[in-house]
Amino acid sequence: MPLAIEQIFLTGRFHATRWNQSPFEDLHGEWPPSPWRLLRTLAARWFEYARETGDLETTVRDRLLRALAGELPTFHLPTNATHSSAWSSRGLKQYQPTELTKSDKKKGEPWVKRPQTTLVVDSFACVPISAPVIWLWPTLDLGKDKAAIELLDHLLRRVTYFGRAESLSFLRRLPDDAALPDPNCTLLSAPGAGSPVLVPTPGQS
């Protein structure tokens, strides 16, 4: 059976900066969600799981991550998902700190250090709560590896955000008998085509 993970963005927005991009300059953001970001998220949640359960064995963890990295997922993306950007004026504008500077004594201010700020646009993908992102690994069958499946479920339950911290997210593995939609997004290698969505290289450790 294929592996399928359902992802819901609880605020209807996915905030994430593309790989090798400055968050101050990335007007489009990451879309679709990066498979490399998912692997990093699961690896980070394993440390939380290990601390809570006392299970420090890494064999199952490594086996699970290698399996997920061994095949690129396809996606079923919401067809009505859109991107906000600076030019569409749907991005959130907020001040970000840049550097600490001393107060001006000539103005009678007390001696303190204050952060300077700059106004940036926080771009995001609009993803309706009612239209989840479905991650699909068509030929990845973890059914015989009960320990890996159980660990994956534990890790997914511990994910509270995906991308930036304001990007609240809920993930769950879909049951084997779930009716799965057909994928409508496939990741392809396109050298020189712009800033990429980062993925692991299948077949490499």
Side-chain angles (χ1 to χ4, degrees), residues 62-99:
D62 293 347
R63 193 164 68 236
L64 171 64
L65 294 179
R66 286 195 185 100
L68 292 174
E71 177 183 335
L72 285 182
T74 58
F75 297 88
H76 179 82
L77 301 176
T79 55
N80 56 345
T82 60
H83 279 80
S84 73
S85 61
W87 49 263
S88 66
S89 70
R90 286 181 297 205
L92 300 176
K93 294 183 179 180
Q94 56 184 339
Y95 286 96
Q96 297 281 357
T98 55
E99 61 180 347

Side-chain angles (χ1 to χ4, degrees), residues 182-197:
D182 293 328
N184 59 12
C185 177
T186 302
L187 299 175
L188 300 174
S189 177
S195 299
V197 170

Side-chain angles (χ1 to χ4, degrees), residues 25 46-47 52 97 113 137 196 199 205:
E25 300 172 352
W46 179 84
F47 288 96
E52 292 175 354
K113 284 188 175 182
W137 287 262
V199 301
S205 63

